[in-house]
Amino acid sequence: MFNSGRHFLQIPGPTNVPDQVLRALSKPTIDHRGPEFARLSMDVLDGCKRIFQTSGPVIIFPSSGTGAWEAALVNTLSTGDRVLMFETGHFATLWKNMAARLGLEVDFVPGDWRHGVDPGQVAEKLTADKGHAIKSVNVVHNETSTGVTSRIAEIRKAMDDAEHPAMLMVDTISSLASIDYRHEEWGVDVTVGCSQKGLMLPPGLGFNAVSEKAVAASKTARMPRSYWNWAGMFEANKRGFFPSTPATNLLYGLREAIGMLEAEGLARVFARHDRHAEATRRAVSAWGLEILCADPQEYSSSLTAVMMPEGLSADAFRQTVLKHFDMSLGNGLGKVSDKVFRIGHLGSFNDLMLAGTLAGVEMGLSLAGIPHSKGGVAAAMAYLQETMAAS
Ligand SMILES: Cc1ncc(COP(=O)(O)O)c(C=O)c1O
């Protein structure tokens, strides 16, 4: 079937790639060992530091986010090391599964998929670990499967208060360049990121922002590593090159995306995401539906996961929306499969895109026969208008 007009890609990543970035991606590929490439990579390696809010190095792999997860673990840890992880949702579970497969001893704190990491529990676990067997605390900043954002600064403080030397590793895959995140100020040792969400790029780049402590750990860690080895990257990056063929065109796109984020200003980017998230929550509340995130201080600004009324299929609803309005909404993953749908409101996005998205959801609720009240779009529009001047 032919669909006229633009597809609405409202999953929480990959996100809509803006035209400026698409144009940058379409430039001819150049010699990745020549001087023009070295200038490009110096620009993006530097620009990434500003996006991760760090003065330390950021490593860029041609990879998905999963690759960047693996790089974080294999560079800093040794087989048999203990790591502390938290079941905040599907992605935290996948990272835990990877750690276990790599031979790490994972202490996985169970969760209900409606809350983030409790800093009090971090303190408790670390205080009890008198022998400092735990080598790292690994947290997903924004759990994309649930729309819950953990409080990294408070987790850092809990670690400091416990005077525990474990490293802190944070997955910012769906928060980077969308929700305030400060690698250096928050004392994070490895920050994991990727290209296809707040950075407004297609999938294909994975990032590790690293602290001095993480670099020191990488010199003694004994986990086998080859492709993911930071050492080769540091060496080649000094001169603006990569140890193997980099994703040249994605790096053109990255340079453009960093420029756009900086033209808007990171603080305004974060405020825009906060505002769109609040407007979305007002729509959900007017529809009389429930948000999966149970604690308002952990509401995500990049996506909202909405619970389907008991006994109704979230996937059937999403199918209706796709069929009638050519809009993709995020599906429920893992334990909440078919029970929630997710509205992505991150990346290259504005008020009218949000209004269109919410209109598609509201009409879809009627067409799919989901009991709800009207007025969600109106509630969101009222909030957008009220806050227009401040934005
Ligand atoms: C929070 C989070 N971590 C990790 C991943 C895995 O990234 P990828 O699918 O790019 O490998 C995702 C993917 O959506 C994610 O949202």
Side-chain angles (χ1 to χ4, degrees):
M1 193 179 78
F2 176 77
N3 292 309
S4 81
R6 196 162 186 166
H7 175 69
F8 267 61
L9 181 65
Q10 296 316 136
I11 59 174
T15 61
N16 296 288
V17 180
D19 292 347
Q20 294 98 300
V21 172
L22 287 172
R23 280 195 295 274
L25 291 167
S26 71
K27 283 172 34 155
T29 305
I30 53 171
D31 173 12
H32 61 288
R33 308 215 188 272
E36 190 184 343
F37 181 84
R39 281 192 294 275
L40 166 67
S41 64
M42 289 301 194
D43 279 354
V44 294
L45 288 167
D46 233 47
C48 281
K49 292 183 185 180
R50 300 190 296 273
I51 302 297
F52 283 86
Q53 305 200 48
T54 179
S55 57
V58 179
I59 294 155
I60 308 176
F61 292 105
S63 82
S64 77
T66 302
W69 266 348
E70 182 160 339
L73 300 177
V74 298
N75 277 284
T76 54
L77 296 163
S78 303
T79 310
D81 277 353
R82 269 187 70 195
V83 298
L84 179 60
M85 297 175 116
F86 298 83
E87 188 198 357
T88 49
H90 183 67
F91 291 103
T93 306
L94 293 182
W95 202 10
K96 180 271 290 183
N97 292 345
M98 171 188 277
R101 277 197 299 269
L102 289 168
L104 297 165
E105 286 293 318
V106 189
D107 184 350
F108 196 48
V109 179
D112 66 357
W113 291 45
R114 300 195 68 179
H115 292 86
V117 174
D118 174 1
Q121 254 181 341
V122 175
E124 222 170 84
K125 286 276 180 188
L126 295 184
T127 308
D129 178 36
K130 301 279 180 238
H132 295 168
I134 295 171
K135 297 300 174 213
S136 82
V137 176
N138 292 36
V139 175
V140 175
H141 183 208
N142 186 69
E143 192 29 276
T144 324
S145 61
T146 61
V148 176
T149 306
S150 288
R151 288 159 285 149
I152 305 302
E154 289 178 43
I155 293 167
R156 173 77 260 171
K157 183 167 183 314
M159 293 175 69
D160 292 343
D161 290 350
E163 296 182 354
H164 195 289
M167 288 178 283
L168 174 59
M169 302 196 198
V170 181
D171 168 339
T172 62
I173 283 177
S174 59
S175 57
L176 187 71
S178 309
I179 300 172
D180 192 9
Y181 182 78
R182 308 169 189 196
H183 173 90
E184 192 160 295
E185 186 182 322
W186 294 346
V188 180
D189 294 297
V190 187
T191 298
V192 174
C194 71
S195 52
Q196 72 266 26
K197 312 226 182 202
L199 286 177
M200 311 178 287
L201 291 161
L205 296 178
F207 303 92
N208 281 174
V210 301
S211 71
E212 277 175 22
K213 183 167 156 183
V215 175
S218 74
K219 296 191 173 138
T220 53
R222 293 182 312 277
M223 191 113 57
R225 53 186 185 264
S226 173
Y227 179 75
W228 304 114
N229 196 357
W230 292 344
M233 279 288 191
F234 289 141
E235 196 43 44
N237 282 178
K238 275 191 225 153
R239 290 164 287 115
F241 299 114
F242 285 74
S244 56
T245 311
T248 310
N249 289 52
L250 285 172
L251 298 180
Y252 288 141
L254 178 58
R255 179 164 61 185
E256 189 68 28
I258 292 171
M260 290 169 68
L261 289 165
E262 293 193 315
E264 185 175 357
L266 273 188
R268 289 173 70 95
V269 169
F270 301 144
R272 166 165 60 80
H273 283 78
D274 291 344
R275 181 168 164 269
H276 287 156
E278 176 59 27
T280 304
R281 290 192 294 270
R282 287 186 184 213
V284 176
S285 148
W287 291 324
L289 298 176
E290 201 178 338
I291 289 170
L292 184 60
C293 177
D295 182 349
Q297 64 177 336
E298 296 178 332
Y299 281 149
S300 167
S301 288
S302 46
L303 76 132
T304 302
V306 183
M307 293 166 78
M308 264 288 129
E310 195 60 35
L312 294 172
S313 163
D315 288 342
F317 162 69
R318 288 188 317 104
Q319 288 301 326
T320 302
V321 171
L322 179 63
K323 179 172 155 211
H324 291 281
F325 306 114
D326 194 22
M327 175 162 76
S328 297
L329 294 168
N331 63 332
L333 293 165
K335 285 186 183 173
V336 291
S337 166
D338 205 27
K339 293 184 168 51
V340 305
F341 67 91
R342 295 172 299 147
I343 304 171
H345 32 71
L346 75 163
S348 173
F349 204 53
N350 64 24
D351 288 7
L352 290 188
M353 291 165 88
L354 179 65
T357 300
L358 297 175
V361 173
E362 187 161 324
M363 289 190 285
L365 290 170
S366 294
L367 286 167
I370 311 292
H372 69 287
S373 306
K374 288 281 160 211
V377 177
M381 280 169 56
Y383 177 75
L384 290 177
Q385 278 179 49
E386 262 166 44
T387 52
M388 196 80 72
S391 80

